[in-house]
Amino acid sequence: MTEHTLSEKRVVITRPRAQSKEWQRAIEERGALCVVIPLIDIAQPDDEGFAFEQAMRNLSDYEWVVCTSANGASRVAPYLSHSASGPRLAAVGSATALAFTHDVEFVPPVATGASLAKEFPVTSGKILDVQAQETSGDVVRILRDRNMDVDEVAAYKTVHCVLTDLQVGEIRSADAVVVLSLIHISEPTRQA
C-alpha cells in the first residue's frame, strides 16, 4: 500500500484553469482533493489581438523576439518557423523558454525582466518585446536606454476573477492554497 503525503487534504490551486492541470494531477496523485479557483484569467488584449497579429505577420523584420512570460511565449510559438532564418529568441526564465517550443538563445542568469534587459546581448537589429498588456515597461525602457531598437506588443492581458462567496469559503476551509501568480489585492483580507 502506498502512503500518500496529502491524503484527504483539501488543496486549492489559484492559477487559470488551463494552466492548473499539471499541478492538479500532481497534487491528486499524492492523495489530496484538489479544487481549482482561478484568481486571474488570461484574455485577449483590449485590441482583441490585432497589434499582436500584425507583429506576428512581420516577424522577419526582427532579429530578436523577447518574452518575459510563458503566456507570451506560448502565444508566439505557433508563428515561429523551424528554419534557422527566424528571429532569435530570448526568455526571462526556463518556463518561458520551454513555452516557446523552439531553441532559445538567451536566458538571463536571474529570472527577472530587469535582468533580461540589462544582460541582453547588444544588437543593432530590431527587437520585438511580446508582453502582457499591463506590463511595467521596464524591459523596453532598459533596452532603449541601452540604445537598442525595440517594438512592443501586448499578446494578452491578465484579468482578475471575481470570486463568489462559495469560492471564498472553499479557499478559507482548504488545508493549503497554492498561489502561483502574482496578483494585486486592493484591500487586505482581515481575519477576526
Side-chain angles (χ1 to χ4, degrees):
M1 186 168 171
T2 305
E3 185 178 323
H4 295 289
T5 57
L6 297 175
S7 185
E8 297 183 31
K9 299 292 183 187
R10 292 174 38 79
V11 177
V12 172
I13 298 176
T14 61
R15 288 183 65 77
R17 260 183 219 295
Q19 298 174 357
S20 296
K21 291 178 178 142
E22 287 182 42
W23 280 95
Q24 184 175 1
R25 182 178 34 72
I27 289 168
E28 288 175 346
E29 284 175 356
R30 287 163 181 79
L33 169 65
C34 195
V35 180
V36 178
I37 301 176
L39 298 181
I40 63 167
D41 200 7
I42 305 303
Q44 285 280 26
D46 290 343
D47 73 350
E48 297 299 321
F50 179 77
F52 174 76
E53 290 295 328
Q54 286 295 107
M56 293 302 100
R57 280 195 275 283
N58 297 309
L59 269 180
S60 62
D61 294 349
Y62 297 98
E63 182 179 347
W64 285 91
V65 172
V66 173
C67 283
T68 56
S69 74
N71 288 313
S74 66
R75 299 259 170 136
V76 171
Y79 297 92
L80 296 173
S81 164
H82 286 283
S83 72
S85 64
R88 298 161 75 182
L89 304 175
V92 73
S94 59
T96 302
L98 286 172
F100 269 124
T101 67
H102 288 72
D103 290 335
V104 173
E105 287 193 40
F106 179 75
V107 178
V110 177
T112 66
S115 178
L116 184 147
K118 289 174 185 173
E119 303 290 328
F120 192 79
V122 175
T123 182
S124 59
K126 285 180 72 173
I127 301 167
L128 178 63
D129 180 40
V130 178
Q131 60 197 9
Q133 178 175 295
E134 58 280 345
T135 184
S136 68
D138 288 345
V139 171
V140 171
R141 181 186 48 76
I142 294 168
L143 290 172
R144 286 181 179 156
D145 286 350
R146 294 181 60 210
N147 296 315
M148 293 191 229
D149 184 10
V150 184
D151 290 340
E152 58 189 307
V153 66
Y156 65 95
K157 70 178 177 182
T158 304
V159 180
H160 298 274
C161 297
V162 176
L163 301 181
T164 65
D165 290 340
L166 181 62
Q167 290 171 316
V168 171
E170 287 273 358
I171 292 170
R172 287 186 173 159
S173 66
D175 294 299
V177 178
V178 180
V179 180
L180 298 166
S181 297
L182 178 64
I183 62 167
H184 176 273
I185 300 174
S186 57
E187 288 185 40
T189 303
R190 299 191 192 276
Q191 289 188 346

